């Protein structure tokens, strides 16, 4: 039996260039106690290049001596009906009951009448045994 030639496939992936930034932990004063509180301010166009555009939600993971910043997926916008229902929760019990009755009425499936001229086949014979 002849041996099959096999070649190992080399897979290479591009690794993005790592850039190191140096910052110093500063402080801000707490507005109530006026005590200093540690603060880090990150700014620069490099943030956008790294995927952190203005308005992007962040997740910060904290490990002693290390902060990991990752972007968060945007949360889907809440449907308008949910806003309306939250407002309805503040209404009186009687009004809330009226809303429940209305929703039940419009959400209950109803049989549609057949269009005029539709022939319906009805079998009036008992089933055979």
């Amino acid at each position: 039996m002849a041996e099959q030639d096999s070649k190992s496939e080399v897979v290479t992936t591009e690794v993005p260039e790592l850039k190191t930034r140096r910052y110093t932990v500063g402080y801000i004063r707490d507005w109530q106690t006026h005590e200093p509180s540690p603060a880090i301010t990150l700014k620069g166009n490099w943030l956008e290049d790294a995927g952190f555009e203005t308005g992007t939600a962040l997740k910060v993971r904290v490990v002693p001596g290390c902060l990991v910043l990752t972007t968060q997926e945007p949360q889907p916008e809440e449907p308008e009906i949910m806003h309306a229902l939250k407002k309805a929760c503040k209404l009186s019990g009687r009004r809330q009951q009226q809303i429940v009755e209305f929703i039940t009425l419009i959400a209950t499936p109803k049989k549609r009448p057949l269009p005029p001229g539709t022939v319906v086949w009805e079998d009036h014979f008992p089933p055979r045994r």
Side-chain angles (χ1 to χ4, degrees):
M1 181 192 241
E3 286 186 31
Q4 292 181 346
D5 290 334
S6 64
K7 294 181 182 177
S8 61
E9 191 174 317
V10 177
V11 178
T12 58
T13 57
E14 284 188 37
V15 177
E17 182 182 345
L18 294 175
K19 294 183 180 176
T20 302
R21 308 278 177 192
R22 295 191 178 272
Y23 284 86
T24 302
V25 177
Y27 72 93
I28 58 170
R29 294 224 177 254
D30 183 275
W31 68 277
Q32 290 178 324
T33 63
H34 302 289
E35 293 292 318
S37 182
I40 300 172
T41 302
L42 303 176
K43 56 185 172 183
N45 291 331
W46 63 272
L47 287 167
E48 190 171 323
D49 295 341
F52 296 91
E53 296 179 8
T54 302
T56 301
L58 294 179
K59 180 178 185 179
V60 181
R61 284 179 264 173
V62 181
V63 180
C66 179
L67 298 176
V68 179
L69 305 174
T70 52
T71 59
Q72 293 258 105
E73 291 294 319
Q75 298 298 319
E77 196 169 309
E78 198 170 52
E80 187 178 342
I81 186 73
M82 295 307 293
H83 292 292
L85 288 173
K86 286 179 182 176
K87 289 180 184 177
C89 289
K90 297 175 184 174
L91 298 174
S92 69
R94 185 175 62 82
R95 291 281 189 195
Q96 289 182 23
Q97 184 58 39
Q98 289 174 335
I99 292 170
V100 168
E101 290 169 3
F102 174 72
I103 291 172
T104 303
L105 178 70
I106 63 172
T108 303
K110 302 207 178 7
K111 277 190 162 183
R112 295 188 204 179
L114 295 173
T118 303
V119 177
V120 178
W121 179 267
E122 293 185 25
D123 194 1
H124 294 291
F125 299 105
R128 292 183 186 181
R129 291 183 192 208

